[in-house]
Amino acid sequence: FIFIERLTPAAYHHPVHMKLDDLIPFCEWFIFPYMSWHVSLLWMSLYTLAYDIPAFQRFMWYLILTTVLAEIVYVVWPSQQLLRPDLASLGRSNLLTKLCGVIYTVDTNTNVCPSLHCIGGFAILFAALDMPRFRTKGWTVFFVIFALLICASTVFMKQHSIVDFFAAIPVILIGWVCVYLPPLVKRKNA
């Protein structure tokens, strides 16, 4: 990802935007689900590695496949979103807006379509549902809401256009069909 970021000249990035983006307000509170994505990917990796090696392997294959697909899109069609607000002129300044500013500095707004945050949010959901321990109604609801909050955080923090979420859906589905559908069918037929 970093190599592609450095390799692609800024002039080649295509702006990503739709009118719905203008209706979604900036909300710094979404920094919590946005940042939890990083921790959750690490946690799910370690958890599956410790307790369910086949689930770990499927989780890794899903991440590899979907990330490679997204990176191919970034090479073929480099993207950029221009939605970030001027945090200095928001009319409010607090710890969360300052943290958003740090994120804006560290995490570029290029190669955003499809959204790796959305893809990763669903990776966590699928890995959880792949393990018997998390297939209860309560855990399922928790992980579905968590994945959706991660997706929502990308647009409310203005890191992504809603287009990036819609573009992530086919990648998410391809990953699920290739990695998680075969064992699901096998379990149901067993």
Side-chain angles (χ1 to χ4, degrees):
F1 182 81
I2 294 170
F3 178 72
I4 293 170
E5 287 281 292
R6 305 276 189 266
L7 183 70
T8 310
Y12 290 105
H13 288 97
H14 302 277
V16 180
H17 179 266
M18 70 183 301
K19 289 185 182 192
L20 182 56
D21 292 319
D22 301 329
L23 301 174
I24 300 170
F26 170 78
C27 180
E28 65 267 27
W29 286 96
F30 277 91
I31 194 165
F32 293 112
Y34 187 85
M35 292 306 298
S36 70
W37 177 80
H38 301 88
V39 175
S40 300
L41 283 172
L42 176 61
W43 178 83
M44 188 58 78
S45 298
L46 295 175
Y47 189 88
T48 54
L49 181 61
Y51 295 104
D52 193 332
I53 295 297
F56 171 77
Q57 292 170 327
R58 286 186 288 275
F59 184 53
M60 291 299 112
W61 279 116
Y62 179 89
L63 289 174
I64 291 166
L65 174 62
T66 56
T67 302
V68 166
L69 289 173
E71 298 291 334
I72 290 169
V73 173
Y74 300 157
V75 169
V76 174
W77 192 73
S79 57
Q80 179 177 24
Q81 66 81 13
L82 306 171
L83 302 166
R84 289 179 172 178
D86 177 12
L87 296 174
S89 64
L90 269 181
R92 62 185 184 273
S93 178
N94 54 51
L95 177 62
L96 299 181
T97 58
K98 288 181 171 102
L99 286 173
C100 289
V102 170
I103 296 211
Y104 288 176
T105 304
V106 179
D107 191 1
T108 71
N109 60 345
T110 55
N111 291 327
V112 291
C113 186
S115 168
L116 283 175
H117 257 74
C118 295
I119 292 166
F122 276 86
I124 294 162
L125 168 64
F126 297 151
L129 297 179
D130 192 33
M131 293 182 287
R133 176 181 190 148
F134 295 122
R135 283 193 213 127
T136 66
K137 185 178 181 181
W139 279 117
T140 300
V141 168
F142 170 80
F143 281 107
V144 166
I145 290 171
F146 184 70
L148 294 174
L149 278 172
I150 289 172
C151 294
S153 74
T154 66
V155 295
F156 280 100
M157 280 193 48
K158 300 300 183 179
Q159 279 292 97
H160 288 272
S161 163
I162 193 75
V163 174
D164 306 337
F165 166 72
F166 292 131
I169 292 172
V171 178
I172 291 166
L173 290 174
I174 290 168
W176 183 80
V177 166
C178 291
V179 176
Y180 288 107
L181 182 60
L184 181 64
V185 169
K186 189 176 181 181
R187 271 197 312 265
K188 289 192 180 206
N189 290 336

